[in-house]
Amino acid sequence: MGSPQDDRFRRLVHEHSAPIGNYLRRRLYPLTLADLDDLVEETLLVVWRRIDDVPNDAELPWMIGVARNVLRNARRSKYRRTNFESTLSVAPDEPSAEDLVIADASVRDALLSLNDDDREVLMLNAWDGLDTHALGIALSITTNAAAVRLTRAQARFRERFAAAQVI
């Protein structure tokens, strides 16, 4: 058994949710039907928080006033969001460096013919910009070992790339 406030809130929800939903639905524009449930929920949250302020003789009108304010706040938020989005410039639709490299079939074929370790060290160096010191840290090896791995991977890549160009 709940408190008298809980019981009153349940009764208010049962009796007035549909009229509140209908009120909001009729005035929803520029919002969408997808926003309706959120608006009803926000209205009921306000009613729950202010249950002691709901007048006994004017429950529905008071709740409609709350719904009106909730709707106005949602419209303002949408307006601000739309205005903000209109100030953003669209990023140019340019392919990434990786896309440009992989688009070249001979480069792609040469990379795919390498083992995973060689491919990883080359990509970390070329695409992620890691030098031999940073490669050593990323791969948990010494800087000297990273330099050797990179040099050998580059040599193997050059061989495979040259072979792919001949075909």
Side-chain angles (χ1 to χ4, degrees):
M1 180 121 183
S3 70
Q5 292 168 324
D6 291 346
D7 293 338
R8 183 174 187 215
F9 179 71
R10 281 190 202 95
R11 183 183 57 77
L12 289 173
V13 168
H14 179 72
E15 290 177 10
H16 301 302
S17 289
I20 294 299
N22 290 333
Y23 169 85
L24 290 167
R25 185 179 302 110
R26 287 189 301 271
R27 290 159 178 80
L28 202 54
Y29 184 81
L31 304 172
T32 65
L33 278 176
D35 299 313
L36 183 60
D37 287 341
D38 292 335
L39 294 170
V40 171
E41 180 180 322
E42 181 64 27
T43 300
L44 294 175
L45 282 172
V46 172
V47 170
W48 169 251
R49 284 193 304 263
R50 299 188 55 204
I51 192 74
D52 293 332
D53 296 336
V54 180
N56 291 325
D57 57 342
E59 293 171 342
L60 182 59
W62 189 88
M63 291 174 69
I64 285 176
V66 170
R68 182 174 174 263
N69 290 333
V70 166
L71 182 60
R72 289 168 61 192
N73 287 339
R75 285 178 178 158
R76 276 194 299 274
S77 293
K78 180 174 179 57
Y79 177 75
R80 283 192 301 266
R81 185 174 46 254
T82 301
N83 281 343
F84 173 72
E85 289 170 353
S86 70
T87 65
L88 300 175
S89 61
V90 177
D93 192 20
E94 297 177 9
S96 67
E98 293 89 348
D99 292 337
L100 292 174
V101 171
I102 295 299
D104 186 333
S106 56
V107 171
R108 185 185 61 236
D109 293 343
L111 275 173
L112 290 175
S113 70
L114 297 173
N115 66 38
D116 290 340
D117 291 336
D118 284 348
R119 193 168 36 252
E120 180 180 25
V121 76
L122 286 173
M123 293 166 121
L124 285 170
N125 176 252
W127 290 348
D128 297 312
L130 300 185
D131 62 8
T132 53
H133 177 73
L135 279 171
I137 293 169
L139 300 173
S140 300
I141 58 177
T142 65
T143 301
N144 189 41
V148 170
R149 272 197 197 177
L150 179 59
T151 301
R152 290 180 181 168
Q154 288 170 334
R156 282 189 280 272
F157 174 77
R158 280 198 274 312
E159 288 172 13
R160 307 278 169 79
F161 182 71
Q165 293 294 324
V166 173
I167 296 174

